Amino acid sequence: EDLVCFRDIRPGAPHHYLVVPVEHMGNCKTLKTEHISIVKRMMEVGKAVLQRNNFSDLNDIRMGFHWPPFCSISHLHLHVLAPASQLGFLSRLIYRVNSYWFIT
């Protein structure tokens, strides 16, 4: 009811989804302690969508947020990518774990 999930229009992996809160939230820099539960639910939805799409190796996924100013939109959205082991060269840079521009 409070989250939506859809495919990324420029997928970085065979499975690339965005999990987005229906209610507007700025970006990952605006998150506070009270947002922990919604972020956890966003991750649960991402995993459930992967499983519904026949992807079961949850050890080979990458989830995270682009750190401002590297966000394409100013509405919180969680990237869910799988399999992480099949990310191409550019995607490995764009979705690099805990980099200057992407946080997991």
Side-chain angles (χ1 to χ4, degrees):
E1 295 175 8
D2 59 343
L3 298 172
V4 295
C5 182
F6 49 89
R7 288 186 179 275
D8 193 294
I9 60 171
R10 285 180 294 238
H15 295 274
H16 188 167
Y17 305 99
L18 300 176
V19 182
V20 183
V22 171
E23 182 180 325
H24 178 72
M25 296 179 73
N27 59 50
C28 57
K29 277 192 172 181
T30 65
L31 292 174
K32 296 182 172 59
T33 306
E34 62 262 23
H35 298 120
I36 290 172
S37 64
I38 194 160
V39 171
K40 285 183 177 181
R41 282 199 330 271
M42 291 170 78
M43 293 174 66
E44 290 168 9
V45 166
K47 290 176 184 177
V49 168
L50 287 171
Q51 290 174 322
R52 275 189 231 132
N53 285 280
N54 300 316
F55 187 82
S56 59
D57 185 3
L58 298 181
N59 293 316
D60 194 16
I61 64 174
R62 182 154 311 155
M63 293 189 192
F65 302 98
H66 282 294
W67 196 250
F70 303 101
C71 303
S72 57
I73 59 168
S74 61
H75 186 99
L76 187 70
H77 57 287
L78 175 71
H79 288 266
V80 180
L81 300 110
S85 61
Q86 291 184 23
L87 290 173
F89 176 76
L90 190 56
S91 292
R92 286 179 201 263
L93 291 175
I94 294 170
Y95 303 104
R96 187 171 145 207
V97 175
N98 296 328
S99 62
Y100 182 70
W101 53 86
F102 188 74
I103 59 168
T104 56

